[in-house]
Amino acid sequence: MARNIAIKVARAEKDMTQKALAEAVGISRQTMNAIEQGEYNPTIKLCRAICRVLGKSLDDLFWEDESPDS
């Protein structure tokens, strides 16, 4: 699973820390870090909560580019 840079960028745009975003969606900072690092695959419910807090769509934050190399 690839790193999720889009969440990190969206978080920075909102001037939010991993901890602040994690608290806003009801998970630990460690889980949020694992999502950003691509080490944890969040449920669709959690994905939607993250999108809601960051004001982004699912496509904005979780679309996986299907390149021939993947």
Side-chain angles (χ1 to χ4, degrees):
M1 197 180 321
R3 292 180 69 164
N4 193 322
I5 302 301
I7 292 177
K8 186 174 184 175
V9 170
R11 227 179 6 86
E13 289 172 355
K14 292 269 189 181
D15 198 29
M16 291 184 84
T17 62
Q18 278 186 345
K19 183 178 179 185
L21 178 55
E23 288 174 354
V25 298
I27 60 174
S28 70
R29 188 210 50 83
Q30 291 85 350
T31 300
M32 182 56 64
N33 183 59
I35 292 169
E36 287 187 10
Q37 295 299 315
E39 298 168 357
Y40 180 82
N41 191 12
T43 64
I44 190 70
K45 183 178 179 180
L46 179 53
C47 290
R48 290 181 64 184
I50 293 168
C51 289
R52 198 173 311 112
V53 170
L54 295 176
K56 300 288 185 180
S57 71
L58 284 168
D59 285 348
D60 291 338
L61 298 182
F62 295 99
W63 180 260
E64 289 187 22
D65 188 21
E66 295 180 22
S67 64
D69 296 336
S70 55

